[in-house]
Amino acid sequence: MVFEPKILGFLCNWCSYAGADLAGVSRVQYPPNIRVIRVMCSGRVDPMFIFKAFQVGADGVIVMGCHPGDCHYLEGNYEAEKKYNMTEKFLKLIGFDNRVRLEWVSASEGTRYGAVVTEFTQQIKDAGPSPAKDNEELLFKLKALEMAAATDRMRALVGRERHITEDENVYGEKVSLEKFNEIFDKAIKDEYERAQVLLSLEKGVNNVKLLAAKLDIDPSIVLEHLLILKQRMEIDFGEIMENTPVFVRL
Amino acid sequence: MSEEEEEIRIGVFVCHCGSNIGGYIDCKSIAEWAKSLPHVVFTQDNLYTCSETGLAQIKKGVNENNLNRVIVASCTPRTHEPLFRSCIQEEGVNPYLFNFVNIRDQNTWVHQKEPEKAFEKAKELIAMGVAKAAKLEPLEKIIVDTTPTALVIGAGVAGITAALSMANQGFETHLVEKEAEIGGKLNILDKLYPTNQDASELLKSLKKRVNDNTNLTVYTSASVKSIEGFIGNFEIEIEQNGNVKELTIGVIIVAVGASLFTPTGLFNYDGQKRITQAELETLLKNNQVESSNVVMIQCVGSRIEERKYCSSVCCMVALKNALEIKERNPKANVTILFRDLYTPGTYYEDYYRRAREAGVIFIEYAPEKMPIVEDNQVRVHNEYLGQDILIPYDLVVLSTPLVSNEDNKDIAQMLKVPLEENGFFLEAHVKLRPMDFATDGVYICGSAKWPVDITESIAQGYAAASRASTIISHSTLEVEGATSSLPEYNRNLCTGCEVCITVCPYKAISKDENDEILIQQVLCKGCGVCGATCTNHAIVIRHFTDDQILSEILAFGGQYDGV
């Protein structure tokens, strides 16, 4: 059977959704694999939505907004880009980054909308069905990504990125983009591992040794994550079993 | 709340749109199938759901089946959502409990050769629509009182025109000018194209109309100190001679104009023998031009790397002044060195023709080989001759651009409106809302937005006034209900991190005196960025809540929340 991918699109009301309508008015023909969710602004697309979409069977997800400088809400598309970049970085950790796309499509670009959807559909066809379907291991990882992206640390970093790198803080300091990205990439890795730790605890993988083996991380790093998660009051020491401390998720 | 306990009863109406949808997919069987979806208690297919008959069928469906959510699967919400919303509102159903499913513009019209797949897609889209509809919540538009007063910042020709127009409509209008005299650039201009009327004549007549108007208060040597509040209810402070006056203002028109550019260091500019067109205007006005060899250079300081734009008025100013010199002294030699000449429309093109007829010489120069102003002659390279032409002069006139005012930034910050890269004010949309700012209740006209001439300034002054009066000609105004909010039940989630304040483009979010996040609904435009950024998921984007969008995503994956 021919593989027909399931593609989810998030379209901003003012530009891309209007562009999609114009494609209709102009009878531009494109593959019928995309299902559209309308949002007012591409900046509304919470990264959680994208991880969720992959967990329920999406083969590809595309976010579309207004061209830079054309945002109906002034700068919402820039925020969308920051959120999208984080999502892409997270997905890269599990090799899903070729299944997402961010595109700018204006209300007048009906033909381009059709071309973008056609091209993205082909990209997903080439990539094949999402390996996450009925794959416990990958679903576990996607869930961990969703949790990691939802932490206040990641959300604050994304929300403040433009402020931190483009404006000065109250002390007149500005963080360079390189420095910011360094911190950001480290945070991505850490939070993904911590989310996996949390999810593993639920499954009874509850001491440093077991966690290190399951997640393939150095035990000393696992311990660091556990201490930070304890500080955040997400986990606690349970009991000592055979000289090994056991942790529980709160 | 009873609303939460009330059973969800969804009605789905599938539109054939004649043959636009019905010609490709079987709407009747889709309507039948939709009955199997959770919470759906009534479905129907209509030939045209938007017709009188279709709307009557929706109303009948709502009444006979006690529907409290209505879905129409048809064209696009961008054209027809308001119609269906008001239709169910007439039957006592909150308009926000309506949901649109697009199965025409984004389905049958674009998959004409694959009707079976379009059929399946329509069903899936309706399932997603039903899932969202089940989570919809009723919302109310907010009604705000408006104050029938207007503030116009800047008393140049655009500002005066706008202020007079507002005042003549009966609105109490306040006109603030930072200079000691009103009139803006009219104070320095000699004659005005295309009528060749004296600028002073127009200024005199405008001043008289301003003075005679009892609805209009003028503040000269004054500035706007602070602007708080929102559309219909701005709180303004005007400072004049050290005194501060407080006003409540309904609408604001920005007409601050633009500044003259001094070409220091360009073409040996010295303000004496080598002057700007603005300085030439003053000489002409005072009848002090005695030069018989005049060379004008166009595009001085504009259309270059650091100032990419065309100032749009300088070509016409040069033509007008060249003709003026020729008229007063037909023997004078006037040469215009130009990159391109911009004389749109019949009147302006006629000026060019008349200048040619009067003997004004036009020589094109290339930006790679700029003319060189030497002590008594101008050297310009002519590409056709392949050599330099030497033109003797006793007066060089540089056509410099209008540039944005230095204090635009302060005004933009107070008004929470954007500036473009050259420091001019940026309108909400260049074609759809050219006189509006994205911030409601604030309007723009004249050279504050872009260099424009007197004719255009007057037209824009009227245009901005007419846009502004649409707001304060009503005693109240309705504000969209689908905005972001920090509901009481989420207050404990808010950590006060202020990221929402950083990302809100409309400054709708602030902290109140108790250091608690306050979202001003009338300022919010409902983009939802704050909600998608909120570090602890405390902010709710009404009508596009996480819960509603997640239910759509689940339905996309064939799952139904809570079923």
Side-chain angles (χ1 to χ4, degrees), chain B residues 134-410:
Chain B
K135 302 272 181 179
L136 287 176
E137 287 163 18
L139 297 173
E140 298 300 331
K141 292 201 166 174
I142 316 162
I143 309 287
V144 200
D145 289 332
T146 59
T147 317
T149 56
L151 169 74
V152 180
I153 310 175
V157 68
I160 294 174
T161 307
L164 280 171
S165 175
M166 294 307 288
N168 285 338
Q169 291 178 71
F171 300 118
E172 180 192 314
T173 305
H174 302 267
L175 179 59
V176 177
E177 170 58 48
K178 65 179 170 188
E179 303 295 336
E181 287 288 328
I182 66 165
K185 301 288 177 291
L186 283 181
N187 285 303
I188 59 158
L189 296 181
D190 171 41
K191 293 208 190 292
L192 305 175
Y193 65 80
T195 54
N196 261 32
Q197 175 193 21
D198 276 335
S200 55
E201 262 177 50
L202 175 63
L203 182 57
K204 207 167 122 193
S205 109
L206 284 177
K207 276 186 175 167
K208 182 169 174 358
R209 283 158 65 197
V210 167
N211 288 336
D212 292 353
N213 201 311
T214 48
N215 286 331
L216 185 54
T217 317
V218 181
Y219 308 80
T220 48
S221 305
S223 61
V224 178
K225 276 291 139 220
S226 77
I227 300 171
E228 298 289 334
F230 44 83
I231 182 169
N233 302 279
F234 293 103
E235 300 296 331
I236 315 274
E237 283 182 349
I238 296 172
E239 190 185 295
Q240 188 183 29
N241 308 324
N243 301 321
V244 173
K245 183 162 184 178
E246 287 172 18
L247 294 167
T248 304
I249 294 290
V251 285
I252 301 172
I253 296 175
V254 177
V256 296
S259 302
L260 298 168
F261 173 70
T262 311
T264 314
L266 293 175
F267 300 101
N268 290 329
Y269 167 80
D270 62 2
Q272 303 288 323
K273 209 176 157 186
R274 297 173 279 264
I275 61 175
T276 63
Q277 289 285 1
E279 286 158 343
L280 176 64
E281 296 272 350
T282 313
L283 294 180
L284 285 168
K285 201 171 161 177
N286 301 333
N287 235 334
Q288 288 169 328
V289 179
E290 283 148 8
S291 321
S292 48
N293 291 303
V294 181
V295 179
M296 295 184 179
I297 305 178
Q298 298 304 103
C299 296
V300 174
S302 61
R303 304 175 68 205
I304 54 173
E305 196 47 43
E306 58 173 299
R307 214 173 286 106
K308 289 199 180 78
Y309 62 92
C310 161
S311 183
S312 92
V313 298
C314 344
C315 284
M316 282 307 297
V317 169
L319 288 177
K320 175 197 67 145
N321 289 343
L323 269 172
E324 192 62 27
I325 292 169
K326 279 297 233 182
E327 222 158 79
R328 293 184 196 185
N329 175 13
K331 286 189 176 152
N333 297 311
V334 183
T335 311
I336 297 181
L337 310 182
F338 67 98
R339 276 175 63 184
D340 297 285
L341 272 180
Y342 174 68
T343 58
T346 45
Y347 285 126
Y348 293 1
E349 183 66 12
D350 189 48
Y351 258 88
Y352 173 66
R353 204 169 295 126
R354 275 166 46 212
R356 294 294 294 262
E357 281 164 6
V360 176
I361 296 169
F362 292 85
I363 300 176
E364 190 178 349
Y365 73 87
E368 303 80 47
K369 287 203 170 162
M370 296 295 272
I372 297 163
V373 176
E374 297 170 355
D375 278 350
N376 294 305
Q377 60 182 15
V378 176
R379 179 185 291 276
V380 59
H381 183 80
N382 186 289
E383 215 167 305
Y384 301 109
L385 297 175
Q387 64 185 53
D388 288 357
I389 301 176
L390 304 175
I391 312 159
Y393 72 86
D394 41 31
L395 186 67
V396 166
V397 184
L398 306 175
S399 293
T400 53
L402 285 169
V403 293
S404 57
N405 298 343
E406 276 177 8
D407 58 359
N408 278 1
K409 208 171 178 183
D410 304 333

Side-chain angles (χ1 to χ4, degrees), chain B residues 314-537:
Chain B
C314 344
C315 284
M316 282 307 297
V317 169
L319 288 177
K320 175 197 67 145
N321 289 343
L323 269 172
E324 192 62 27
I325 292 169
K326 279 297 233 182
E327 222 158 79
R328 293 184 196 185
N329 175 13
K331 286 189 176 152
N333 297 311
V334 183
T335 311
I336 297 181
L337 310 182
F338 67 98
R339 276 175 63 184
D340 297 285
L341 272 180
Y342 174 68
T343 58
T346 45
Y347 285 126
Y348 293 1
E349 183 66 12
D350 189 48
Y351 258 88
Y352 173 66
R353 204 169 295 126
R354 275 166 46 212
R356 294 294 294 262
E357 281 164 6
V360 176
I361 296 169
F362 292 85
I363 300 176
E364 190 178 349
Y365 73 87
E368 303 80 47
K369 287 203 170 162
M370 296 295 272
I372 297 163
V373 176
E374 297 170 355
D375 278 350
N376 294 305
Q377 60 182 15
V378 176
R379 179 185 291 276
V380 59
H381 183 80
N382 186 289
E383 215 167 305
Y384 301 109
L385 297 175
Q387 64 185 53
D388 288 357
I389 301 176
L390 304 175
I391 312 159
Y393 72 86
D394 41 31
L395 186 67
V396 166
V397 184
L398 306 175
S399 293
T400 53
L402 285 169
V403 293
S404 57
N405 298 343
E406 276 177 8
D407 58 359
N408 278 1
K409 208 171 178 183
D410 304 333
I411 295 169
Q413 242 164 23
M414 277 194 280
L415 286 168
K416 292 145 194 160
V417 300
L419 299 176
E420 48 86 91
E421 56 185 317
N422 298 297
F424 291 102
F425 286 90
L426 185 66
E427 70 277 69
H429 190 287
V430 67
K431 289 193 285 288
L432 299 178
R433 295 169 65 197
M435 313 319 294
D436 303 9
F437 278 113
T439 304
D440 283 342
V442 190
Y443 304 87
I444 170 91
C445 61
S447 290
K449 180 166 78 158
W450 204 246
V452 286
D453 58 26
I454 303 291
T455 318
E456 180 67 19
S457 294
I458 294 170
Q460 289 193 10
Y462 282 123
S466 113
R467 289 292 298 150
S469 61
T470 60
I471 301 300
I472 52 173
S473 54
H474 303 280
S475 57
T476 58
L477 64 100
E478 262 192 358
V479 179
E480 177 58 50
T483 57
S484 86
S485 78
L486 180 55
E488 273 317 309
Y489 58 82
N490 270 4
R491 276 265 164 217
N492 59 336
L493 289 179
C494 176
T495 58
C497 73
E498 300 187 6
V499 171
C500 51
I501 300 179
T502 316
V503 296
C504 176
Y506 299 98
K507 312 276 188 292
I509 312 180
S510 54
K511 276 197 170 166
D512 66 11
E513 60 272 19
N514 300 323
D515 214 27
E516 296 223 6
I517 288 291
L518 175 77
I519 301 176
Q520 273 181 290
Q521 208 176 339
V522 336
L523 289 177
C524 175
K525 299 268 192 288
C527 68
V529 171
C530 57
T533 312
C534 177
T535 54
N536 216 21
H537 313 264

Side-chain angles (χ1 to χ4, degrees), chain A residues 78-95:
Chain A
Y78 293 106
E79 300 298 337
E81 193 173 19
K82 300 297 169 210
K83 290 178 172 57
Y84 175 83
N85 288 346
M86 175 182 79
T87 311
E88 199 181 34
K89 279 182 174 174
F90 269 125
L91 287 171
K92 201 170 181 143
L93 296 174
I94 62 164

Side-chain angles (χ1 to χ4, degrees), chain A:
Chain A
M1 208 179 90
V2 188
F3 165 52
E4 289 295 347
K6 273 177 80 77
I7 294 173
L8 187 60
F10 291 96
L11 272 58
C12 84
N13 181 61
W14 306 97
C15 292
S16 311
Y17 196 90
D21 280 350
L22 181 62
V25 173
S26 331
R27 306 299 193 276
V28 172
Q29 302 296 301
Y30 55 83
N33 302 71
I34 190 167
R35 308 287 176 264
V36 165
I37 291 180
R38 181 172 68 111
V39 286
M40 294 313 276
C41 177
S42 53
R44 168 69 185 102
V45 180
D46 196 309
M48 152 176 80
F49 299 158
I50 300 176
F51 300 120
K52 196 58 116 189
F54 283 119
Q55 289 174 66
V56 299
D59 295 300
V61 179
I62 186 164
V63 179
M64 297 194 221
C66 310
H67 284 278
D70 278 356
C71 177
H72 184 81
Y73 301 106
L74 313 177
E75 298 184 332
N77 48 359
Y78 293 106
E79 300 298 337
E81 193 173 19
K82 300 297 169 210
K83 290 178 172 57
Y84 175 83
N85 288 346
M86 175 182 79
T87 311
E88 199 181 34
K89 279 182 174 174
F90 269 125
L91 287 171
K92 201 170 181 143
L93 296 174
I94 62 164
F96 262 59
D97 50 316
N98 64 337
R99 297 184 178 274
V100 281
R101 179 86 76 89
L102 174 70
E103 287 279 356
W104 308 134
V105 174
S106 81
S108 62
E109 294 178 328
T111 314
R112 202 175 101 77
Y113 175 80
V116 166
V117 172
T118 306
E119 201 220 320
F120 186 65
T121 307
Q122 191 55 50
Q123 177 182 328
I124 301 304
K125 277 186 178 170
D126 295 343
S130 162
K133 279 168 200 160
D134 303 321
N135 181 327
E136 281 302 321
E137 186 61 28
L138 267 175
L139 287 171
F140 170 88
K141 287 182 174 174
L142 278 165
K143 181 74 195 162
L145 292 180
E146 183 191 334
M147 283 169 59
T151 55
D152 56 352
R153 181 176 180 211
M154 291 317 303
R155 287 173 79 95
L157 276 172
V158 169
R160 290 219 169 88
E161 174 173 346
R162 297 180 61 216
H163 186 60
I164 293 172
T165 58
E166 291 169 21
D167 308 329
E168 288 174 350
N169 68 11
V170 286
Y171 306 107
E173 300 160 342
K174 201 157 110 176
V175 177
S176 73
L177 202 57
E178 294 76 44
K179 179 78 188 157
F180 180 84
N181 281 332
E182 200 182 297
I183 298 169
F184 196 80
D185 292 346
K186 176 85 170 60
I188 292 243
K189 188 168 169 291
D190 285 347
E191 293 308 324
Y192 174 50
E193 288 175 0
R194 284 168 199 162
Q196 284 179 296
V197 167
L198 284 175
L199 283 174
S200 302
L201 289 181
E202 283 178 6
K203 292 178 186 288
V205 183
N206 55 11
N207 65 43
V208 172
K209 214 164 146 187
L210 288 173
L211 284 164
K214 176 172 162 54
L215 306 177
D216 195 18
I217 312 172
D218 192 273
S220 67
I221 296 173
V222 172
L223 186 61
E224 258 174 48
H225 290 328
L226 285 167
L227 291 174
I228 285 170
L229 289 171
K230 177 154 188 332
Q231 264 175 20
R232 289 184 190 170
M233 293 190 286
E234 300 222 42
I235 62 167
D236 204 355
F237 290 120
E239 51 185 324
I240 307 272
M241 280 175 77
E242 294 164 12
N243 292 335
T244 309
V246 166
F247 297 84
V248 286
R249 187 167 175 196
L250 293 177

